[in-house]
Amino acid sequence: MKQKNPIANPLIVLREEFDDWAILFDPDTGNAFGLNPTGVFIWKHLDGKHDTDAIVGRLREEADDVPADAAEHARQFIASLEQQGLVGYEVQT
Amino acid sequence: MRLMRTPKKVDISITNRCNLRCRYCYHFESAGDVEGDLPAAEWFRFFEELNRCAVTEVTLAGGEPFIREDLKEIVHGIVRNRMRFQILSNGTLITDEMASFLASSGRCNYVQVSIDGSMPESHDVMRGKGSFAKALQGLMILRRHRVHVAVRVTIHRKNVNDLESVARLLLEDIGLSSFGTNSAGAMGMCRKNAEMVQLTTEERTLAMETLLTLSKKYNGRIQATAGPLAEARGWLDMEEARLWGKQLAPVRGCLSGCGCYWQDLAVRADGAVTPCTMLSHIELGRINRDDLVEIWQNHADLGSLRGRNRIPLSSFSFCEGCEYLQYCTGNCPGLSYTLVGEVNHPSPDACLRKFLAEGGRLPERSLLC
């Protein structure tokens, strides 16, 4: 069994309120999670077509001064989203 | 204040029908009292737009939402479009089947049920014979199905002496964690029945003192954003600020009393988009015809309402010479519209100076929780 790329839970609402900041709203629980602009960028690329390295690669193309350890931070961020049920993986059997 | 890209919540009058005619209903005989309910299909289209706008919740009000035969389909439409909801109800039409359905939806924040007395006499006198028993039954059905219930007690001349028993019923006998209070505002049916419904200055003084006492006794489990309890707290803060020269937040001394149009929109039963259910005479557009984001971000009337908080109270002759001026917000624009015919005016009903001049007394500050 091989895990594929991360996919945002389609039930979760990305609510962009001010500038590039946003909240993720889970209508089933009513919980909301704040996202900074980098988090929003990553969330928008959780489409099953990009793995973490590809997302960080896109981030480097679009933003200046992306830190060297950004991929590790992105992995941790995606893992925390997964823990909260906001992100899943398509599984290839 | 900065404007969100889209509204967070939309208050929807899902029907203009109601099985009751409460003597102080703000809806009937207001601009929100419009002919004809939209079919569910219209609401489904609108919910899809709300989904695209990332609106997270809707309030279903009316009329009486449970009178709609297709309410379950409407709730399904809300769920399909990634939103949560709350329902404002008189409680009398709630069945086991409906409560079970609401619980199973997993998206119901709460159902607000109006209970105005501890006994039929003080509730039914305004809402109609038999409505107390039915509302209480509806409340118990919802609790049995673990649907969160928010009880609202509207205070009027016939229940102002019953408040202690109301608190005992709701908090001790039924065991609610809290309940909210309000008073009958001078809107809709209440205007016609003002003499019978609206508190006199003396009764308002009594209500404030009683509610503060009860709120303290029950450790803050009685809440209010309007009505005598909210007024008592707000006015005591204003008086203290005046005495000690304190600053009160947020913006005071201007028409800053309401901020709902910074976060919410409302829709009438006929599909007209309005800034608020209390300002249903201001039509901003139509659902499924006009773009909601365009209305939200660019409509001139909304822009004007959002600019209210820059209008100083000192510019109104009504406020001339008032020593509370720099601590006051002018309160609800909806009330000011119904009372003086202008949205951009302080609401006379919420005026502390007027209340005191008419013989009203503020409760002891020691009664605050």
Side-chain angles (χ1 to χ4, degrees), chain A residues 24-65:
Chain A
L24 292 177
F25 175 71
D26 182 347
D28 278 339
T29 62
N31 293 335
F33 309 88
L35 290 187
N36 64 22
T38 308
V40 175
F41 183 91
I42 292 173
W43 178 263
K44 287 181 174 175
H45 287 81
L46 297 175
D47 53 6
K49 295 175 188 161
H50 298 83
D51 63 14
T52 308
D53 290 336
I55 293 171
V56 174
R58 293 293 301 275
L59 184 61
R60 288 189 197 286
E61 287 167 21
E62 304 232 352
D64 298 327
D65 302 326

Side-chain angles (χ1 to χ4, degrees), chain B residues 171-315:
Chain B
L171 299 178
E172 295 183 34
D173 301 347
I174 296 176
L176 297 178
S177 58
S178 64
F179 70 89
T181 62
N182 198 347
S183 63
M187 293 177 157
M189 300 266 286
C190 185
R191 299 203 74 188
K192 199 167 76 178
N193 300 311
E195 183 108 344
M196 178 187 189
V197 172
Q198 285 201 282
L199 300 177
T200 61
T201 302
E202 193 180 337
E203 289 162 341
R204 204 170 180 179
T205 301
L206 171 68
M208 290 198 298
E209 191 170 304
T210 308
L211 287 169
L212 276 185
T213 305
L214 289 169
S215 184
K216 191 167 189 176
K217 175 182 173 184
Y218 289 104
N219 297 317
R221 291 164 66 197
I222 304 175
Q223 297 154 359
T225 53
L229 180 57
E231 282 163 353
R233 290 170 175 157
W235 284 348
L236 282 171
D237 283 348
M238 284 167 63
E239 179 65 352
E240 188 175 71
R242 184 187 68 86
L243 285 172
W244 302 101
K246 286 183 179 177
Q247 292 283 321
L248 288 178
V251 184
R252 301 287 174 131
C254 294
L255 289 178
S256 56
C258 181
C260 61
Y261 26 72
W262 288 92
Q263 295 204 57
D264 309 336
L265 276 178
V267 182
R268 291 192 322 221
D270 62 356
V273 180
T274 68
C276 167
T277 48
M278 303 295 154
L279 294 169
S280 47
H281 66 288
I282 303 176
E283 293 188 23
L284 305 171
R286 292 263 153 193
I287 65 165
N288 306 329
R289 186 194 72 187
D290 300 310
D291 182 77
L292 198 72
V293 175
E294 178 63 24
I295 289 174
W296 177 254
Q297 294 185 357
N298 298 318
H299 199 289
D301 288 347
L302 271 181
S304 167
L305 281 168
R306 291 175 186 140
R308 280 180 93 245
N309 62 8
R310 292 191 296 272
I311 302 174
L313 294 173
S314 57
S315 62

Side-chain angles (χ1 to χ4, degrees), chain B residues 295-361:
Chain B
I295 289 174
W296 177 254
Q297 294 185 357
N298 298 318
H299 199 289
D301 288 347
L302 271 181
S304 167
L305 281 168
R306 291 175 186 140
R308 280 180 93 245
N309 62 8
R310 292 191 296 272
I311 302 174
L313 294 173
S314 57
S315 62
F316 298 98
S317 59
F318 179 80
C319 299
E320 199 177 319
C322 180
E323 53 191 342
Y324 297 102
L325 195 110
Q326 61 181 306
Y327 311 108
C328 185
T329 66
N331 212 266
C332 171
L335 260 179
S336 109
Y337 176 73
T338 58
L339 290 171
V340 301
E342 286 178 50
V343 169
N344 288 337
H345 192 280
S347 166
D349 185 59
C351 176
L352 173 55
R353 178 173 66 167
K354 182 168 170 280
F355 170 75
L356 295 173
E358 289 170 354
R361 282 175 289 107

Side-chain angles (χ1 to χ4, degrees), chain A residues 15-26:
Chain A
R15 192 178 151 72
E16 296 175 271
E17 292 189 340
F18 306 109
D19 303 328
D20 294 327
W21 292 70
I23 60 163
L24 292 177
F25 175 71
D26 182 347

Side-chain angles (χ1 to χ4, degrees), chain B residues 16 59 62 71 96 104 114 155 165 174 184 212 220 231-232 241 249 262 275 301 331-332 346 361 366:
Chain B
N16 195 49
T59 304
L71 184 64
D96 256 307
S104 70
S114 298
I155 296 158
S165 301
I174 296 176
L212 276 185
E231 282 163 353
W262 288 92
D301 288 347
N331 212 266
C332 171
R361 282 175 289 107
S366 60

